Amino acid sequence: MCTIKNIIAGPCSIESKEQFFITCDKLVEEGITNIRGGVWKPRTKPGGFEGLGEQALKWIKEYKETHKNIRFCCEVANKEQVDLALDYGIDFVWIGARTSTDPFAVQQIAEALVKRNPDIEVFVKNPACPDLELWIGAVERLYAVGIKNVSVIHRGFKVYNTSIYRNEPLWNIPLQFKIHYPNVKMYLDPSHIAGDKKYIKELCNMAMNVYSYDGIIIESHYKPDIAWTDAKQQITPEELGGLLEEIILKETEDKSELLSYRDEIDIIDNNILSLLMQRLNVSVKVGKYKKKHNMKLFQKERFISLLNKLKTRGKELNLNEEYIEKIWNIIHEESIEAQIKIKEDL
Ligand code: PEP
Ligand code: MN
């Protein structure tokens, strides 16, 4: 279950000592113990605010002197940034979405990190493009040099035709990641998916209450309206406090109702499996018949009419057409494969 320890919050960018210290104080008041702060900012075009670099690290170090229990993290995108961040006592780091697309950069960062501290905790954001393998590859590069304490951050993907969000969540990609690496902690970055604070709550709910993510990294600024970067998506520490109360404390202790639904689902799934087996057995018989009578395996008209009948029936049952089409395409493909094997068996 997600606890306050698994929440990382802080400004998109560290802009001034005043902005940073006030924001940190307010976050600490809300119980936050892990603070993020942008030190070097990757900007799409030149000319924008690119972060204060070493000056920001000096303020982090200064704040830490009076707040020993607070841990700080920042993004690192190359070897020099790793060295400087660790010189100033940064506790953990993240690799950003642009950097995790670049195997050379990830390799360089991994080697620089392990040299300085093999036990450091490293978060890897999903690459900006929707490429699961690239994300896995970045994590494997860290493992390969000997860094074991790796977590990942789902921050959404750049795709054409995005809907309401700045970056599409594409929930299936982090889900596939979790299936590959069930022990790697998955954090949500709702700020960079949303692009607008009005979507943050629904994204957090989805991640925490549907997909059981392990934590959240979120942008928070004491005056979001005047933030130098990502103003629209940042929330105040007070708003964050309210959000966390709703999200973290939402899980009820009594799970008996849920468990009984899960039992029901297990029974239905078993029934689906045996029906699929029965269907495949009949398909095999059809395959033998087609072979004996020298018929073509793929009968397009038959498949189209079968699909149409199912869609009509599906509509009556309130089932989505696309869902039916996807499922029966897979079922049909498996039947054809079974029938090909029969045809090849002499
Ligand atoms: C950030 O977290 O400040 C940031 C730049 O994020 P991303 O790499 O997800 O764009
Ligand atoms: Mn940002």
Side-chain angles (χ1 to χ4, degrees):
M1 188 178 151
C2 178
T3 69
I4 196 85
K5 281 203 181 70
N6 296 356
I7 306 296
I8 305 164
C12 177
S13 302
I14 298 177
E15 302 161 4
S16 67
K17 183 170 167 178
E18 189 195 11
Q19 169 255 8
F20 183 56
F21 276 39
I22 296 177
T23 303
C24 288
D25 284 347
K26 287 176 177 278
L27 287 168
V28 170
E29 261 174 53
E30 297 298 333
I32 298 295
T33 55
N34 292 298
I35 297 184
R36 61 154 282 158
V39 170
W40 297 280
K41 300 306 300 175
R43 306 308 298 272
T44 305
K45 290 185 181 142
F49 174 62
E50 294 191 332
L52 296 176
E54 192 167 357
Q55 175 57 258
L57 291 171
K58 285 184 184 159
W59 291 327
I60 293 178
K61 190 170 178 212
E62 191 181 327
Y63 195 88
K64 272 169 77 73
E65 275 156 20
T66 50
H67 296 82
K68 302 246 185 274
N69 60 331
I70 308 294
R71 298 167 74 233
F72 284 85
C73 68
C74 71
E75 172 174 354
V76 287
N78 59 38
K79 176 184 178 308
E80 291 70 31
Q81 292 177 1
V82 168
D83 283 331
L84 211 51
L86 294 188
D87 285 346
Y88 280 92
I90 279 286
D91 298 283
F92 58 108
V93 296
W94 81 83
I95 297 178
R98 290 154 196 81
T99 313
S100 64
T101 57
D102 178 355
F104 289 133
V106 174
Q107 187 66 30
Q108 185 191 91
I109 294 166
E111 285 167 17
L113 284 168
V114 78
K115 218 170 179 180
R116 292 291 299 263
N117 178 8
D119 297 324
I120 191 161
E121 185 174 10
V122 183
F123 285 77
V124 182
K125 287 205 177 196
N126 68 254
C129 54
D131 187 339
L132 174 66
E133 293 304 314
L134 212 43
W135 198 5
I136 290 176
V139 171
E140 283 181 355
R141 279 177 196 281
L142 290 162
Y143 284 150
V145 298
I147 293 177
K148 293 190 186 70
N149 197 354
V150 181
S151 301
V152 291
I153 299 171
H154 173 211
R155 56 75 80 190
F157 302 87
K158 206 26 110 208
V159 291
Y160 281 117
N161 303 324
T162 58
S163 56
I164 50 177
Y165 303 119
R166 177 177 175 190
N167 290 292
E168 277 299 302
L170 304 181
W171 294 98
N172 189 46
I173 297 181
L175 185 65
Q176 292 302 317
F177 187 100
K178 272 159 80 74
I179 292 169
H180 251 82
Y181 285 112
N183 297 323
V184 173
K185 290 200 172 69
M186 175 73 67
Y187 278 60
L188 176 79
D189 172 348
S191 315
H192 290 92
I193 295 179
D196 187 317
K197 69 176 182 181
K198 68 178 178 225
Y199 302 123
I200 282 184
K201 188 170 153 192
E202 66 188 45
L203 289 165
C204 289
N205 258 322
M206 189 76 166
M208 293 302 149
N209 298 317
V210 178
Y211 289 105
S212 305
Y213 280 25
D214 302 283
I216 296 174
I217 176 164
I218 186 166
E219 289 186 340
S220 179
H221 187 297
Y222 86 114
K223 279 186 180 166
D225 295 345
I226 57 161
W228 295 2
T229 53
D230 290 349
K232 258 178 100 181
Q233 70 195 30
Q234 301 203 59
I235 58 174
T236 64
E238 294 82 357
E239 285 168 331
L240 176 64
L243 176 80
L244 293 179
E245 214 161 285
E246 284 182 56
I247 287 165
I248 298 184
L249 305 179
K250 213 175 151 187
E251 278 211 2
T252 62
E253 281 311 308
D254 179 13
K255 296 221 169 73
S256 54
E257 188 179 341
L258 173 71
L259 294 179
S260 86
Y261 294 143
R262 286 192 173 151
D263 285 347
E264 241 180 277
I265 295 242
D266 287 351
I267 293 170
I268 296 172
D269 282 348
N270 274 324
N271 287 338
I272 293 176
L273 269 185
S274 42
L275 286 172
L276 284 173
M277 193 60 226
Q278 284 175 39
R279 192 187 191 284
L280 200 60
N281 287 341
V282 179
S283 258
V284 167
K285 288 186 201 158
V286 173
K288 286 182 182 156
Y289 179 92
K290 284 179 183 165
K291 185 178 174 184
K292 194 167 153 200
H293 295 87
N294 240 345
M295 286 170 71
K296 286 207 175 68
L297 283 189
F298 182 59
Q299 307 268 327
K300 191 171 139 208
E301 291 70 27
R302 158 73 183 146
F303 183 58
I304 292 173
S305 87
L306 174 151
L307 203 54
N308 283 339
K309 265 192 271 173
L310 287 166
K311 282 188 194 167
T312 312
R313 177 73 186 122
K315 225 179 198 163
E316 289 162 14
L317 297 171
N318 254 336
L319 284 168
N320 180 318
E321 262 189 42
E322 242 178 79
Y323 176 52
I324 292 180
E325 189 157 345
K326 269 194 226 159
I327 293 177
W328 262 273
N329 271 322
I330 297 171
I331 292 177
H332 187 244
E333 211 178 294
E334 192 67 21
S335 294
I336 294 284
E337 265 173 39
Q339 293 182 4
I340 290 174
K341 275 198 202 118
I342 290 163
K343 194 158 186 162
E344 284 167 354
D345 268 357
L346 294 173

